[in-house]
Protein backbone atom coordinates (compact mmCIF):
# COMPACT_ATOMS: atom_id res chain seq x y z
CA UNK A 1 0.00 0.00 0.00
CA UNK A 2 1.11 3.57 -0.57
CA UNK A 3 2.87 5.22 2.34
CA UNK A 4 3.42 8.85 3.21
CA UNK A 5 6.86 7.99 4.56
CA UNK A 6 8.96 5.07 3.38
CA UNK A 7 11.93 5.73 5.67
CA UNK A 8 13.49 2.91 7.64
CA UNK A 9 16.24 2.73 10.23
CA UNK A 10 18.53 -0.28 9.95
CA UNK A 11 19.65 -1.48 13.37
CA UNK A 12 21.60 -4.70 13.03
CA UNK A 13 19.20 -7.38 11.83
CA UNK A 14 16.22 -5.14 12.56
CA UNK A 15 14.74 -2.88 9.90
CA UNK A 16 12.59 -0.43 11.83
CA UNK A 17 9.87 1.15 9.74
CA UNK A 18 9.42 4.88 10.41
CA UNK A 19 6.06 5.13 8.67
CA UNK A 20 4.68 5.86 12.15
CA UNK A 21 6.35 7.25 15.32
CA UNK A 22 8.46 4.80 17.30
CA UNK A 23 9.03 4.82 21.06
CA UNK A 24 12.43 4.36 22.69
CA UNK A 25 11.89 3.50 26.35
CA UNK A 26 14.49 4.88 28.77
CA UNK A 27 15.97 2.35 31.18
CA UNK A 28 18.42 4.02 33.56
CA UNK A 29 20.49 1.59 35.62
CA UNK A 30 22.18 4.34 37.59
CA UNK A 31 21.79 5.50 41.19
CA UNK A 32 21.78 9.18 40.24
CA UNK A 33 19.71 9.73 37.09
CA UNK A 34 17.97 13.12 37.21
CA UNK A 35 14.51 11.60 36.70
CA UNK A 36 14.41 8.07 38.09
CA UNK A 37 17.80 7.45 39.70
CA UNK A 38 18.04 4.14 41.51
CA UNK A 39 14.57 2.92 40.52
CA UNK A 40 15.85 0.22 38.16
CA UNK A 41 19.35 -0.15 39.57
CA UNK A 42 18.79 -3.82 40.45
CA UNK A 43 19.31 -6.15 37.45
CA UNK A 44 16.11 -8.15 37.95
CA UNK A 45 14.06 -4.99 38.42
CA UNK A 46 15.63 -3.45 35.33
CA UNK A 47 14.88 -6.47 33.13
CA UNK A 48 11.32 -6.63 34.42
CA UNK A 49 10.91 -2.92 33.72
CA UNK A 50 12.23 -3.38 30.17
CA UNK A 51 9.80 -6.21 29.46
CA UNK A 52 6.92 -4.12 30.81
CA UNK A 53 7.91 -1.21 28.54
CA UNK A 54 7.87 -3.57 25.55
CA UNK A 55 4.37 -4.70 26.48
CA UNK A 56 3.35 -1.06 26.95
CA UNK A 57 4.36 -0.24 23.36
CA UNK A 58 8.10 0.50 23.33
CA UNK A 59 9.84 -0.36 20.06
CA UNK A 60 13.34 0.10 21.50
CA UNK A 61 14.79 -0.20 25.01
CA UNK A 62 17.64 2.26 25.65
CA UNK A 63 19.85 1.06 28.51
CA UNK A 64 22.18 3.57 30.17
CA UNK A 65 24.62 3.12 33.03
CA UNK A 66 26.10 6.60 33.39
CA UNK A 67 24.11 9.66 34.36
CA UNK A 68 24.63 12.71 32.16
CA UNK A 69 22.57 15.04 34.33
CA UNK A 70 24.02 18.52 34.93
CA UNK A 71 26.89 18.25 37.39
CA UNK A 72 27.13 14.47 37.03
CA UNK A 73 30.22 12.57 38.11
CA UNK A 74 31.59 10.39 35.29
CA UNK A 75 31.86 6.69 36.12
CA UNK A 76 34.63 4.32 35.13
CA UNK A 77 34.26 2.03 32.14
CA UNK A 78 34.33 -0.94 34.50
CA UNK A 79 31.52 0.45 36.66
CA UNK A 80 29.36 1.31 33.67
CA UNK A 81 29.86 -2.18 32.20
CA UNK A 82 28.95 -3.80 35.52
CA UNK A 83 25.67 -1.88 35.48
CA UNK A 84 24.70 -2.22 31.84
CA UNK A 85 25.95 -5.58 30.56
CA UNK A 86 23.90 -7.88 32.86
CA UNK A 87 20.75 -5.90 32.06
CA UNK A 88 21.25 -6.06 28.29
CA UNK A 89 21.96 -9.77 28.59
CA UNK A 90 18.85 -10.33 30.71
CA UNK A 91 16.56 -8.42 28.35
CA UNK A 92 17.73 -10.34 25.30
CA UNK A 93 17.51 -13.64 27.10
CA UNK A 94 13.86 -12.93 27.93
CA UNK A 95 13.02 -11.28 24.58
CA UNK A 96 15.60 -12.38 21.97
CA UNK A 97 14.11 -10.28 19.15
CA UNK A 98 13.91 -7.05 21.15
CA UNK A 99 15.68 -3.97 19.79
CA UNK A 100 18.07 -2.91 22.55
CA UNK A 101 20.08 0.31 22.47
CA UNK A 102 23.05 1.00 24.72
CA UNK A 103 23.42 4.60 25.86
CA UNK A 104 27.18 4.95 26.29
CA UNK A 105 30.21 6.98 25.27
CA UNK A 106 32.62 4.13 26.02
CA UNK A 107 33.63 1.93 23.10
CA UNK A 108 34.37 -1.17 25.17
CA UNK A 109 30.92 -1.09 26.80
CA UNK A 110 29.29 -0.67 23.39
CA UNK A 111 31.33 -3.55 21.97
CA UNK A 112 30.36 -5.94 24.75
CA UNK A 113 26.67 -5.08 24.47
CA UNK A 114 26.70 -5.54 20.69
CA UNK A 115 28.23 -8.97 21.16
CA UNK A 116 25.34 -9.84 23.47
CA UNK A 117 22.83 -8.80 20.80
CA UNK A 118 22.22 -5.07 21.28
CA UNK A 119 21.31 -3.35 18.02
CA UNK A 120 21.99 0.38 18.58
CA UNK A 121 24.79 2.55 19.96
CA UNK A 122 23.39 5.80 21.39
CA UNK A 123 26.55 7.89 21.81
CA UNK A 124 26.11 11.18 23.68
CA UNK A 125 29.58 12.24 22.49
CA UNK A 126 28.51 11.96 18.86
CA UNK A 127 31.03 9.31 17.75
CA UNK A 128 33.93 11.70 18.25
CA UNK A 129 35.97 8.85 19.76
CA UNK A 130 37.81 6.91 17.01
CA UNK A 131 37.44 3.74 19.09
CA UNK A 132 33.65 4.12 19.03
CA UNK A 133 33.78 4.68 15.28
CA UNK A 134 35.71 1.42 14.93
CA UNK A 135 33.13 -0.48 17.00
CA UNK A 136 30.33 0.82 14.81
CA UNK A 137 32.22 -0.03 11.65
CA UNK A 138 32.80 -3.62 12.76
CA UNK A 139 29.09 -4.20 13.33
CA UNK A 140 25.79 -3.50 11.58
CA UNK A 141 24.30 -1.57 14.49
CA UNK A 142 22.22 1.57 14.32
CA UNK A 143 24.12 4.71 15.32
CA UNK A 144 22.62 7.68 17.20
CA UNK A 145 24.80 10.76 16.80
CA UNK A 146 24.06 13.31 19.52
CA UNK A 147 25.15 16.94 19.73
CA UNK A 148 26.53 17.98 23.12
CA UNK A 149 27.00 21.74 23.47
CA UNK A 150 30.09 21.39 25.64
CA UNK A 151 31.54 24.69 26.88
CA UNK A 152 35.09 23.32 26.70
CA UNK A 153 34.52 22.83 22.97
CA UNK A 154 33.63 26.54 22.64
CA UNK A 155 30.23 25.77 21.12
CA UNK A 156 28.04 27.37 23.77
CA UNK A 157 25.55 29.83 22.30
CA UNK A 158 25.04 33.13 24.10
CA UNK A 159 22.77 36.08 23.54
CA UNK A 160 24.11 39.01 21.57
CA UNK A 161 24.96 41.94 23.85
CA UNK A 162 23.45 45.33 23.06
CA UNK A 163 24.93 48.71 24.09
CA UNK A 164 22.15 51.12 25.07
CA UNK A 165 22.52 54.89 24.64
CA UNK A 166 22.52 56.81 27.91
CA UNK A 167 20.62 59.72 26.36
CA UNK A 168 16.92 59.24 25.78
CA UNK A 169 16.01 59.83 22.11
CA UNK A 170 13.78 62.74 21.27
CA UNK A 171 11.13 60.42 19.85
CA UNK A 172 10.42 56.85 20.87
CA UNK A 173 10.79 54.44 17.95
CA UNK A 174 8.36 51.54 18.09
CA UNK A 175 9.81 48.29 16.76
CA UNK A 176 7.56 45.95 14.78
CA UNK A 177 9.63 42.95 15.95
CA UNK A 178 9.97 41.51 19.41
CA UNK A 179 12.85 39.23 20.31
CA UNK A 180 12.49 36.83 23.25
CA UNK A 181 14.79 34.02 22.11
CA UNK A 182 18.31 33.86 20.71
CA UNK A 183 18.71 33.77 16.94
CA UNK A 184 18.04 30.42 15.38
CA UNK A 185 20.55 30.57 12.53
CA UNK A 186 23.84 30.35 14.48
CA UNK A 187 22.44 27.71 16.84
CA UNK A 188 21.26 25.45 14.04
CA UNK A 189 24.41 26.02 11.99
CA UNK A 190 26.40 24.71 14.93
CA UNK A 191 24.15 21.71 15.64
CA UNK A 192 23.43 20.70 12.06
CA UNK A 193 27.05 21.28 11.10
CA UNK A 194 28.29 18.94 13.83
CA UNK A 195 25.68 16.26 13.15
CA UNK A 196 26.25 16.43 9.40
CA UNK A 197 30.04 16.27 9.77
CA UNK A 198 29.86 13.26 12.07
CA UNK A 199 27.37 11.45 9.84
CA UNK A 200 29.53 12.00 6.76
CA UNK A 201 32.59 10.84 8.68
CA UNK A 202 30.82 7.59 9.57
CA UNK A 203 29.68 7.09 5.99
CA UNK A 204 33.18 7.69 4.62
CA UNK A 205 34.37 5.02 7.04
CA UNK A 206 31.90 2.55 5.51
CA UNK A 207 28.76 2.83 7.65
CA UNK A 208 25.57 2.85 5.58
CA UNK A 209 23.46 6.01 5.66
CA UNK A 210 20.33 4.09 6.68
CA UNK A 211 22.03 3.09 9.95
CA UNK A 212 22.44 6.70 11.11
CA UNK A 213 20.07 8.67 13.34
CA UNK A 214 20.63 12.19 14.71
CA UNK A 215 19.76 13.77 18.05
CA UNK A 216 20.18 17.52 18.71
CA UNK A 217 20.89 16.80 22.38
CA UNK A 218 18.16 18.60 24.32
CA UNK A 219 19.45 19.78 27.69
CA UNK A 220 23.09 18.91 27.10
CA UNK A 221 24.71 22.18 28.15
CA UNK A 222 21.93 24.09 26.45
CA UNK A 223 19.73 26.48 28.37
CA UNK A 224 15.93 26.51 28.12
CA UNK A 225 15.82 29.24 25.45
CA UNK A 226 18.22 27.34 23.20
CA UNK A 227 16.31 24.08 23.68
CA UNK A 228 13.10 25.77 22.59
CA UNK A 229 14.81 27.22 19.51
CA UNK A 230 16.16 23.79 18.58
CA UNK A 231 12.83 22.02 19.03
CA UNK A 232 11.09 24.64 16.89
CA UNK A 233 13.63 23.88 14.17
CA UNK A 234 12.97 20.12 14.10
CA UNK A 235 11.84 20.33 10.49
CA UNK A 236 15.29 21.62 9.53
CA UNK A 237 16.91 18.64 11.28
CA UNK A 238 14.56 16.28 9.44
CA UNK A 239 15.58 17.91 6.14
CA UNK A 240 19.09 16.50 6.65
CA UNK A 241 17.70 13.14 5.57
CA UNK A 242 18.40 11.09 8.71
CA UNK A 243 15.87 9.81 11.25
CA UNK A 244 15.57 12.35 14.07
CA UNK A 245 15.49 11.26 17.70
CA UNK A 246 13.51 13.54 20.01
CA UNK A 247 14.92 13.05 23.52
CA UNK A 248 13.20 15.74 25.60
CA UNK A 249 11.59 13.54 28.26
CA UNK A 250 11.34 15.35 31.61
CA UNK A 251 14.14 17.76 30.68
CA UNK A 252 14.74 21.05 32.52
CA UNK A 253 13.44 23.26 29.72
CA UNK A 254 10.03 21.57 30.10
CA UNK A 255 10.06 22.73 33.69
CA UNK A 256 10.80 26.26 32.50
CA UNK A 257 7.85 26.11 30.10
CA UNK A 258 5.36 24.60 32.54
CA UNK A 259 6.67 25.66 35.95
CA UNK A 260 6.89 22.01 37.06
CA UNK A 261 9.84 21.59 39.41
CA UNK A 262 9.82 17.79 39.64
CA UNK A 263 10.97 15.84 36.55
CA UNK A 264 8.31 13.13 36.96
CA UNK A 265 5.62 15.81 36.72
CA UNK A 266 6.73 16.77 33.21
CA UNK A 267 5.33 13.81 31.26
CA UNK A 268 2.39 15.79 29.88
CA UNK A 269 4.77 18.50 28.71
CA UNK A 270 6.96 15.80 27.15
CA UNK A 271 3.97 14.64 25.11
CA UNK A 272 3.26 18.16 23.92
CA UNK A 273 6.82 18.69 22.67
CA UNK A 274 6.88 15.21 21.10
CA UNK A 275 3.66 15.97 19.24
CA UNK A 276 5.22 19.11 17.78
CA UNK A 277 8.27 17.06 16.80
CA UNK A 278 6.13 14.39 15.11
CA UNK A 279 4.30 17.07 13.14
CA UNK A 280 7.70 18.32 11.97
CA UNK A 281 8.80 14.86 10.85
CA UNK A 282 10.61 13.34 13.86
CA UNK A 283 9.82 9.66 14.20
CA UNK A 284 11.75 8.35 17.24
CA UNK A 285 10.72 9.49 20.71
CA UNK A 286 12.92 8.69 23.72
CA UNK A 287 10.71 8.78 26.82
CA UNK A 288 10.38 7.58 30.40
CA UNK A 289 6.58 7.13 30.43
CA UNK A 290 6.16 4.56 27.65
CA UNK A 291 2.55 3.66 28.40
CA UNK A 292 1.41 7.28 28.50
CA UNK A 293 3.28 8.14 25.30
CA UNK A 294 1.98 5.04 23.50
CA UNK A 295 -1.62 5.90 24.38
CA UNK A 296 -1.02 9.51 23.36
CA UNK A 297 0.49 8.58 19.98
CA UNK A 298 -2.11 5.91 19.25
CA UNK A 299 -4.93 8.37 19.85
CA UNK A 300 -3.27 11.14 17.87
CA UNK A 301 -2.36 8.85 14.98
CA UNK A 302 -5.87 7.40 14.78
CA UNK A 303 -7.38 10.88 14.54
CA UNK A 304 -4.86 12.46 12.17
CA UNK A 305 -3.76 9.64 9.85
CA UNK A 306 -5.55 7.05 7.73
CA UNK A 307 -3.05 4.28 8.30
CA UNK A 308 -4.61 0.94 7.44
CA UNK A 309 -2.37 -2.08 7.81
CA UNK A 310 -2.73 -5.59 6.49
CA UNK A 311 -2.54 -8.29 9.17
CA UNK A 312 -3.16 -12.00 9.59
CA UNK A 313 -4.73 -13.75 12.58
CA UNK A 314 -4.64 -17.51 13.09
CA UNK A 315 -7.71 -18.92 14.84
CA UNK A 316 -8.14 -22.44 16.21
CA UNK A 317 -10.60 -24.48 18.26
CA UNK A 318 -10.74 -28.05 19.60
CA UNK A 319 -13.80 -27.86 21.86
CA UNK A 320 -17.52 -27.92 21.06
CA UNK A 321 -18.77 -26.98 17.58
CA UNK A 322 -15.37 -26.06 16.22
CA UNK A 323 -16.52 -24.64 12.88
CA UNK A 324 -19.12 -22.47 14.63
CA UNK A 325 -16.44 -21.29 17.07
CA UNK A 326 -14.16 -20.21 14.23
CA UNK A 327 -17.02 -18.40 12.50
CA UNK A 328 -17.97 -16.58 15.70
CA UNK A 329 -14.35 -15.55 16.26
CA UNK A 330 -14.20 -14.07 12.76
CA UNK A 331 -17.44 -12.15 13.41
CA UNK A 332 -16.09 -10.74 16.67
CA UNK A 333 -12.76 -9.80 15.07
CA UNK A 334 -14.73 -7.92 12.42
CA UNK A 335 -16.34 -5.87 15.22
CA UNK A 336 -13.04 -4.68 16.69
CA UNK A 337 -12.87 -0.86 16.31
CA UNK A 338 -10.73 0.49 13.45
CA UNK A 339 -10.52 -3.07 12.12
CA UNK A 340 -12.33 -5.12 9.49
CA UNK A 341 -12.09 -8.67 8.19
CA UNK A 342 -11.11 -8.75 4.52
CA UNK A 343 -11.40 -12.49 4.09
CA UNK A 344 -11.07 -15.87 5.74
CA UNK A 345 -9.61 -19.16 4.65
CA UNK A 346 -11.48 -22.43 4.76
CA UNK A 347 -11.40 -24.28 8.06
CA UNK A 348 -9.06 -27.25 8.20
CA UNK A 349 -8.67 -30.27 10.45
CA UNK A 350 -5.11 -30.38 11.74
CA UNK A 351 -3.03 -32.78 13.76
CA UNK A 352 -2.60 -32.07 17.48
CA UNK A 353 0.48 -29.96 18.23
CA UNK A 354 2.29 -28.52 21.25
CA UNK A 355 0.79 -31.12 23.56
CA UNK A 356 -2.86 -30.41 22.72
CA UNK A 357 -4.63 -33.80 23.12
CA UNK A 358 -7.11 -33.73 20.20
CA UNK A 359 -7.21 -32.61 16.55
CA UNK A 360 -7.82 -28.90 16.03
CA UNK A 361 -9.92 -26.91 13.57
CA UNK A 362 -7.84 -24.01 12.24
CA UNK A 363 -8.34 -21.10 9.85
CA UNK A 364 -6.65 -17.83 8.90
CA UNK A 365 -8.26 -14.41 8.98
CA UNK A 366 -6.97 -11.50 6.89
CA UNK A 367 -7.79 -8.10 8.34
CA UNK A 368 -7.14 -4.41 7.80
CA UNK A 369 -6.52 -2.46 10.97
CA UNK A 370 -5.49 0.98 12.15
CA UNK A 371 -4.74 -0.19 15.67
CA UNK A 372 -1.23 -0.46 17.08
CA UNK A 373 -0.25 -4.17 17.32
CA UNK A 374 -0.15 -4.16 21.15
CA UNK A 375 -3.67 -2.69 21.19
CA UNK A 376 -4.86 -5.18 18.57
CA UNK A 377 -3.52 -8.21 20.45
CA UNK A 378 -5.37 -7.10 23.58
CA UNK A 379 -8.55 -6.84 21.52
CA UNK A 380 -7.97 -10.41 20.29
CA UNK A 381 -7.57 -11.56 23.89
CA UNK A 382 -10.93 -9.90 24.58
CA UNK A 383 -12.45 -11.94 21.72
CA UNK A 384 -11.21 -15.10 23.39
CA UNK A 385 -12.68 -13.98 26.70
CA UNK A 386 -16.05 -13.15 25.12
CA UNK A 387 -16.18 -16.69 23.76
CA UNK A 388 -15.57 -18.18 27.18
CA UNK A 389 -11.87 -18.92 27.21
CA UNK A 390 -10.27 -18.40 30.60
CA UNK A 391 -6.72 -17.11 30.52
CA UNK A 392 -3.92 -18.16 32.80
CA UNK A 393 -2.53 -14.74 33.73
CA UNK A 394 0.76 -16.29 34.84
CA UNK A 395 1.49 -17.83 31.43
CA UNK A 396 3.57 -16.08 28.78
CA UNK A 397 0.96 -15.80 26.03
CA UNK A 398 3.52 -15.91 23.22
CA UNK A 399 4.53 -19.44 24.31
CA UNK A 400 2.63 -22.39 22.93
CA UNK A 401 0.31 -23.93 25.48
CA UNK A 402 -0.98 -27.47 25.84
CA UNK A 403 -4.50 -26.88 27.17
CA UNK A 404 -7.65 -27.37 25.11
CA UNK A 405 -9.44 -24.17 24.16
CA UNK A 406 -12.76 -23.11 22.73
CA UNK A 407 -10.89 -20.51 20.68
CA UNK A 408 -7.34 -19.35 20.21
CA UNK A 409 -6.44 -16.13 18.35
CA UNK A 410 -2.80 -15.58 17.40
CA UNK A 411 -1.68 -12.35 15.76
CA UNK A 412 0.86 -13.70 13.26
CA UNK A 413 1.94 -10.75 11.14
CA UNK A 414 1.23 -7.03 10.75
CA UNK A 415 2.41 -5.00 7.79
CA UNK A 416 5.51 -2.91 8.57
CA UNK A 417 5.61 -3.97 12.23
CA UNK A 418 8.12 -5.89 14.32
CA UNK A 419 7.73 -6.26 18.04
CA UNK A 420 9.12 -8.19 21.00
CA UNK A 421 7.78 -8.73 24.50
CA UNK A 422 5.83 -11.03 26.75
CA UNK A 423 2.50 -9.87 25.35
CA UNK A 424 3.39 -10.00 21.67
CA UNK A 425 6.17 -10.93 19.29
CA UNK A 426 5.92 -9.99 15.61
CA UNK A 427 6.24 -11.81 13.33
CA UNK A 428 4.89 -14.67 15.44
CA UNK A 429 7.95 -16.69 16.57
CA UNK A 430 6.41 -20.03 15.46
CA UNK A 431 4.79 -18.86 12.25
CA UNK A 432 7.25 -20.63 9.93
CA UNK A 433 6.89 -24.04 11.58
CA UNK A 434 3.07 -24.25 11.59
CA UNK A 435 1.43 -26.19 8.78
CA UNK A 436 -1.95 -25.17 10.22
CA UNK A 437 -1.03 -21.54 9.46
CA UNK A 438 0.77 -21.86 6.13
CA UNK A 439 -1.70 -24.16 4.36
CA UNK A 440 -4.81 -22.04 5.16
CA UNK A 441 -2.81 -18.98 4.04
CA UNK A 442 -2.83 -20.41 0.53
CA UNK A 443 -6.55 -19.58 0.42
CA UNK A 444 -5.69 -15.91 0.99
CA UNK A 445 -2.59 -15.43 -1.18
CA UNK A 446 -0.74 -17.13 -4.01
CA UNK A 447 2.56 -17.99 -2.30
CA UNK A 448 2.62 -17.54 1.51
CA UNK A 449 6.04 -19.17 1.83
CA UNK A 450 7.58 -16.55 -0.44
CA UNK A 451 5.58 -13.77 1.25
CA UNK A 452 6.74 -14.62 4.77
CA UNK A 453 10.30 -15.43 3.71
CA UNK A 454 10.52 -11.95 2.19
CA UNK A 455 9.24 -10.60 5.54
CA UNK A 456 12.19 -12.23 7.32
CA UNK A 457 10.45 -15.38 8.56
CA UNK A 458 12.26 -18.71 8.29
CA UNK A 459 9.70 -21.12 6.79
CA UNK A 460 10.27 -24.85 7.24
CA UNK A 461 9.63 -27.42 4.54
CA UNK A 462 6.26 -29.21 4.96
CA UNK A 463 7.83 -32.38 6.34
CA UNK A 464 9.46 -30.46 9.20
CA UNK A 465 6.36 -28.54 10.28
CA UNK A 466 3.97 -29.24 13.16
CA UNK A 467 0.16 -29.42 13.15
CA UNK A 468 -0.17 -30.82 9.64
CA UNK A 469 -3.45 -30.31 7.82
CA UNK A 470 -5.39 -33.58 7.40
CA UNK A 471 -8.79 -32.53 6.03
CA UNK A 472 -10.87 -29.60 4.83
CA UNK A 473 -13.86 -28.71 7.01
CA UNK A 474 -15.52 -26.04 4.87
CA UNK A 475 -15.96 -22.23 4.75
CA UNK A 476 -16.56 -19.98 7.72
CA UNK A 477 -19.95 -18.29 8.06
CA UNK A 478 -18.94 -14.93 9.55
CA UNK A 479 -20.50 -12.20 7.38
Amino acid sequence: MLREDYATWQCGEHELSLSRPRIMGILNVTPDSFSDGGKDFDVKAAVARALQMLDDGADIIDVGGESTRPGHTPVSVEEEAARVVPVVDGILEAAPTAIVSVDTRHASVAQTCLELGASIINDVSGFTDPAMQAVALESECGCVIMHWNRPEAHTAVTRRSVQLDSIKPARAVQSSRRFTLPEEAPIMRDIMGFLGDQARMLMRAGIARNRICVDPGAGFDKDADVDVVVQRATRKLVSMGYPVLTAVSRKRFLGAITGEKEPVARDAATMGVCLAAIESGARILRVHDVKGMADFINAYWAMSKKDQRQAFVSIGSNLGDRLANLSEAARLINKIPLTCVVGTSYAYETEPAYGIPTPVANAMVEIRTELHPTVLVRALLDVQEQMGRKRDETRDIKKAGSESRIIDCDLCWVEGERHAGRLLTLPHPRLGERDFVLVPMEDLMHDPVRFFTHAGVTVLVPEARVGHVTAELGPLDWE
Side-chain angles (χ1 to χ4, degrees), residues 99-119:
I99 303 177
V100 175
S101 166
V102 56
D103 179 1
T104 183
R105 57 191 178 87
H106 296 128
S108 61
V109 175
Q111 177 68 51
T112 301
C113 291
L114 292 178
E115 291 172 356
L116 290 172
S119 305

Side-chain angles (χ1 to χ4, degrees), residues 413-428:
W413 182 87
V414 179
E415 178 187 359
E417 296 289 343
R418 303 185 72 88
H419 195 77
R422 296 167 299 185
L423 177 69
L424 173 68
T425 296
L426 283 176
H428 192 287

Side-chain angles (χ1 to χ4, degrees), residues 344-373:
T344 63
S345 72
Y346 275 64
Y348 293 88
E349 182 94 81
T350 66
E351 295 175 344
Y354 305 117
I356 295 174
T358 60
V360 182
N362 283 287
M364 289 297 295
V365 179
E366 180 182 358
I367 63 175
R368 295 289 186 277
T369 184
E370 296 188 37
L371 296 178
H372 186 275

Side-chain angles (χ1 to χ4, degrees), residues 2 28 34 53 79 88 108 117 139 209 255 292 342-343 375 381 397 404:
L2 291 176
N28 290 317
F34 83 98
M53 286 195 288
E79 176 65 20
V88 171
S108 61
S139 74
R209 184 186 184 95
V342 175
V375 179
L381 293 176
I397 68 169
S404 296

Side-chain angles (χ1 to χ4, degrees), residues 353-399:
Y354 305 117
I356 295 174
T358 60
V360 182
N362 283 287
M364 289 297 295
V365 179
E366 180 182 358
I367 63 175
R368 295 289 186 277
T369 184
E370 296 188 37
L371 296 178
H372 186 275
T374 56
V375 179
L376 177 59
V377 77
R378 287 188 173 93
L380 293 173
L381 293 176
D382 288 342
V383 167
Q384 294 180 169
E385 188 172 331
Q386 289 176 59
M387 294 186 62
R389 180 176 177 184
K390 301 300 181 182
R391 291 202 307 254
D392 179 0
E393 298 295 341
T394 65
R395 186 175 71 85
D396 188 339
I397 68 169
K398 73 178 183 180
K399 293 182 179 178

Side-chain angles (χ1 to χ4, degrees), residues 167-181:
I167 301 175
K168 184 177 179 179
R171 181 173 60 87
V173 179
Q174 296 295 326
S175 173
S176 62
R177 304 176 68 187
R178 180 170 179 261
F179 295 91
T180 61
L181 292 173

Side-chain angles (χ1 to χ4, degrees), residues 240-313:
M240 296 175 68
Y242 308 100
V244 172
L245 173 66
T246 298
V248 300
S249 185
R250 301 179 178 175
K251 292 290 177 74
R252 287 176 301 166
F253 84 97
L254 299 180
I257 293 171
T258 63
E260 292 289 356
K261 303 297 184 184
E262 295 300 321
V264 293
R266 299 170 187 164
D267 287 334
T270 299
M271 295 176 192
V273 175
C274 285
L275 176 58
I278 293 169
E279 286 289 282
S280 294
R283 284 294 178 266
I284 305 162
L285 312 171
R286 184 178 182 272
V287 299
H288 296 84
D289 180 15
V290 169
K291 181 63 168 62
M293 182 59 69
D295 290 348
F296 180 82
I297 291 173
N298 290 339
Y300 157 71
W301 207 251
M303 296 304 104
S304 63
K305 309 290 182 182
K306 296 179 179 180
D307 193 12
Q308 298 180 11
R309 309 256 173 162
Q310 182 186 37
F312 294 100
V313 180

Side-chain angles (χ1 to χ4, degrees), residues 79-92:
E79 176 65 20
E80 185 186 24
R83 296 174 180 179
V84 170
V85 171
V87 174
V88 171
D89 191 33
I91 295 169
L92 290 168

